[in-house]
Amino acid sequence: MDFHTGVADPVAFACRLLRKACRQDARVLVTAPPATLAALDTALWTFDAQDFVPHLRWPAPATMAARTPIWLCAQPDVLPEGAPRVRVNLGAEALPDAGDVDRVIEIVGNGPDDRMAGRARWRHYEQAWGVKPTHYAA
């Protein structure tokens, strides 16, 4: 469980993180509100002219999802078997449970509302999941 806090541009940060994950052959599910996912979807196509980060918006056809490493999803509680087990959260809400998750990366913006929501997620993970997150300040 990693918390990256004080991030000036969470979408740009996520793009760099997802590019790194792709280069390491990791599969990642990104959760966020629909507007943030739309911005991330666009940014993944344009943030680096030399790189392509293969991704899809969930739900998607199973054959496409099986071969795509990065999934963008507004509702992670309705995922099929075989969904990526690494989660990146750009939303204000904590992930509900640790059931089929190997790793969670929380990206917290630097605005006051972002910080308050990030603190609430931190407490949720400590209390509900019994984990002490690792903190990385931007």
Side-chain angles (χ1 to χ4, degrees):
M1 170 78 57
D2 298 331
F3 264 75
H4 296 268
T5 64
V7 177
D9 185 344
V11 169
F13 186 93
C15 285
R16 292 188 302 275
L17 181 74
L18 295 171
R19 176 179 55 196
K20 181 178 179 180
C22 254
R23 288 177 178 170
Q24 296 175 350
D25 294 322
R27 298 181 73 235
V28 180
L29 177 99
V30 181
T31 57
T36 303
L37 288 179
L40 180 59
D41 186 14
T42 299
L44 285 170
W45 285 99
T46 60
F47 88 102
D48 186 338
Q50 302 300 314
D51 243 339
F52 173 68
V53 179
H55 63 283
L56 58 77
R57 298 283 297 264
W58 180 258
T63 55
M64 183 183 294
R67 64 178 193 263
T68 305
I70 308 298
W71 295 17
L72 310 180
C73 182
Q75 297 179 323
D77 54 337
V78 291
L79 296 172
E81 192 171 313
R85 296 178 56 88
V86 174
R87 306 290 162 88
V88 170
N89 186 22
L90 292 166
E93 300 297 321
L95 299 177
D97 64 58
D100 59 351
V101 177
D102 291 335
R103 182 177 183 194
V104 174
I105 301 168
E106 289 278 346
I107 300 174
V108 182
N110 60 6
D113 291 340
D114 298 325
R115 289 192 302 269
M116 190 167 28
R119 288 182 188 116
R121 292 193 308 274
W122 182 290
R123 285 189 300 275
H124 169 81
Y125 295 128
E126 283 184 324
Q127 294 168 1
W129 293 24
V131 298
K132 172 104 171 113
T134 301
H135 180 240
Y136 300 95

